[in-house]
Amino acid sequence: MSAFDFATFFRSDLDALRDEGRYRVFADLERLSTGGPYAWDHRKDRVIVVWCSNDYLSMGVHPDVLAAARQAIDKYGAGAGGTRNISGTSHEHVQLERELADLHGKDAALLFTSGYAANDAALSTLGKRLPGAVIFSDALNHASMIEGMRRSGAERRVFAHNDWRDLARQMDSVCRYRPKLVCFESCYSMDGDFAPIAAICDVAERHGAFTYLDEVHAVGLYGERGAGVAERDGQSHRISMIQGTLSKGFGAMGGYLAGDADAVDFVRSHAPGFIFSTALPPSVVAGVRAALKHLKADGGPRRALAARARSIREGMVRIGLPVMPSPSHILPVMIGDAATARRVTDRLMEDFGVYIQPINYPTVARGTERLRVTPTPLHADEDEEQLLEALAEIWRDNAEWRRCSAMGMRQLEPA
């Protein structure tokens, strides 16, 4: 009997992804730190405009952030030197954790190498170690949250997206003495909608549940000091644990938890994903501290982003594009087919120098493939005009896009 043919298996799988239009192609780009959402495309030897960055507030190119990172690398070197427990904790880490706890009005915070790692470590640890725990999860929660819940081995119940009534019905059916975790996001990254935080907290509090809120796409962007949607809505004090990222609103990399001191210490003491991971480089942490200081004091970037997003959304509606009804800074434009999405984005790049990455399954359901447009405060009026003109021309020329998007929008309608 012949051995398993690994090469044929891998090749066939990748060919299937290509045939479906879901094969991921990385753009060979060199981000320009001189300011603005621009990058050098090494494939075409030209500058292109980036409209899909997660550096929502352009903090990654802010002069204060760059200066702080440079000073820290001269002081501390390139890396942390180890895990947090073994030589990897610098004073930069200690200070940032204090400042993040202060941002959210919590007792303590804990840094991770990414938001994914924070969600995975926290939820797998809480679900595994709380005896008889039941986790209630919003239907559109991020893959990192789902993976953490899965690895915990705890019972998981999925409630309809943003439906606090369905959450209440499901919680009513569970023994009152079992520990309950309610896990949801404040701003959902693919649809751009907000959670009804107050209503969900009302349900959770009636059942004595622990509330876990992912603010990844909101920290830095909402609230008086940039603490997120919970701060904006006056609900931060009702959340047991907040998870955030340093890679979006703060423009760097990493993730964190913020909550009561004992709950945060519990995760710190038991989560393998924290204990056995090398700490973030102090230069990255110093840059985040500079971004955090700026955004706590200055709401200008938040207001500029909101104005730009509002202007682009109105332009898309005026053109007749199938932009989804997002109230946030995230502007999803329905395509409805993976191969069509790739053709649209290829033409945007080839003909107009506009870079938007298509969003396909498994990130979104099949038939709801889309563009995810993310403005920044540094996009100029000319950039916006170029984007809208490019989308309008492709929309007029592409009957398949018009057909598929109509089907995709119908798929998202409530049953």
Side-chain angles (χ1 to χ4, degrees):
M1 186 174 70
S2 60
F4 186 80
D5 189 342
F6 290 95
T8 299
F9 175 82
F10 295 145
R11 192 179 308 112
S12 298
D13 184 275
L14 294 172
D15 286 344
L17 288 177
R18 292 186 181 94
D19 291 342
E20 194 178 339
R22 293 196 298 118
Y23 183 75
R24 298 173 189 265
V25 178
F26 293 163
D28 185 4
L29 304 178
E30 181 179 325
R31 189 182 186 192
L32 304 180
S33 65
T34 52
Y38 311 113
W40 183 259
D41 185 348
H42 281 272
R43 299 165 302 174
K44 299 294 183 179
D45 289 331
R46 63 174 179 175
V47 173
I48 55 97
V49 185
V50 179
W51 282 101
C52 56
S53 172
N54 280 341
D55 186 2
Y56 296 136
L57 296 171
S58 300
M59 284 293 106
V61 293
H62 193 282
D64 292 352
V65 174
L66 300 182
R70 289 190 193 102
Q71 291 169 10
I73 203 166
D74 288 339
K75 182 176 182 179
Y76 297 105
T83 65
R84 290 293 299 279
N85 189 52
I86 304 176
S87 79
T89 297
S90 73
H91 193 50
E92 291 289 343
H93 295 88
V94 173
Q95 291 184 100
L96 179 56
E97 287 175 338
R98 290 172 181 165
E99 291 161 9
L100 288 168
D102 171 76
L103 175 69
H104 293 288
K106 301 299 183 185
D107 295 335
L110 186 66
L111 290 174
F112 287 80
T113 53
S114 70
Y116 191 109
N119 271 336
D120 183 31
L123 292 175
S124 62
T125 299
L126 291 169
K128 181 180 297 183
R129 300 190 71 90
L130 288 168
V134 183
I135 301 176
F136 297 85
S137 172
D138 187 282
L140 293 189
N141 275 341
H142 190 263
S144 58
M145 300 175 76
I146 295 169
E147 180 64 13
M149 297 172 203
R150 185 193 65 78
R151 292 203 310 109
S152 76
E155 180 183 349
R156 180 167 68 100
R157 301 208 177 184
V158 178
F159 62 92
H161 176 53
N162 277 348
D163 189 340
W164 57 268
R165 294 176 182 85
D166 186 40
L167 171 64
R169 285 191 293 269
Q170 297 205 40
M171 295 192 82
D172 286 342
S173 68
V174 175
C175 173
R176 61 181 297 185
Y177 299 109
R178 294 180 69 181
K180 303 172 184 66
L181 285 76
V182 178
C183 303
F184 61 110
E185 300 182 38
S186 64
C187 179
Y188 288 84
S189 62
M190 292 301 120
D191 290 0
D193 56 337
F194 296 121
I197 296 177
I200 290 175
C201 286
D202 287 344
V203 175
E205 287 169 1
R206 287 201 298 271
H207 291 270
F210 185 99
T211 47
Y212 184 98
L213 178 64
D214 180 310
E215 287 262 31
V216 161
H217 293 275
V219 287
L221 285 81
Y222 299 95
E224 184 178 352
R225 298 195 305 161
V229 179
E231 180 192 35
R232 184 199 69 180
D233 294 353
Q235 302 297 312
S236 295
H237 63 288
R238 305 179 72 186
I239 303 298
S240 307
M241 183 170 284
I242 291 173
Q243 184 267 336
T245 185
L246 310 176
S247 65
K248 295 178 174 64
F250 301 127
M253 68 169 292
Y256 65 90
L257 303 174
D260 293 340
D262 286 345
V264 172
D265 198 21
F266 180 86
V267 176
R268 184 190 70 89
S269 299
H270 291 295
F274 173 80
I275 294 168
F276 298 105
S277 291
T278 298
L280 288 168
S283 57
V284 171
V285 178
V288 172
R289 290 185 60 223
L292 179 57
K293 179 181 179 181
H294 179 75
L295 293 173
K296 276 184 176 180
D298 184 1
R302 288 188 284 279
R303 291 189 294 272
L305 173 61
R308 181 63 65 192
R310 182 168 54 251
S311 176
I312 294 173
R313 184 184 297 108
E314 291 171 353
M316 289 177 171
V317 171
R318 189 168 56 249
I319 292 167
L321 293 176
V323 58
M324 296 166 59
S326 160
S328 72
H329 60 286
I330 296 169
L331 306 176
V333 179
M334 179 60 68
I335 300 292
D337 175 74
T340 303
R342 171 54 64 188
R343 285 193 289 271
V344 169
T345 56
D346 284 349
R347 187 172 171 200
L348 282 169
M349 182 72 103
E350 290 287 335
D351 294 353
F352 301 97
V354 167
Y355 175 50
I356 305 174
Q357 188 72 0
I359 304 297
N360 296 325
Y361 176 84
T363 308
V364 296
R366 284 188 172 91
T368 68
E369 293 84 357
R370 65 199 66 175
L371 308 184
R372 180 177 174 274
V373 179
T374 54
T376 75
L378 297 185
H379 278 105
D381 291 343
E382 309 87 77
D383 299 324
E384 177 180 332
E385 183 179 350
Q386 177 200 30
L387 171 68
L388 293 175
E389 288 178 352
L391 288 170
E393 181 174 326
I394 299 172
W395 174 251
R396 287 192 301 267
D397 293 347
N398 196 321
E400 185 67 9
W401 179 11
R402 296 195 298 274
R403 184 187 69 81
C404 292
S405 67
M407 296 174 61
M409 286 295 207
R410 284 197 294 272
Q411 185 171 325
L412 292 180
E413 293 174 357

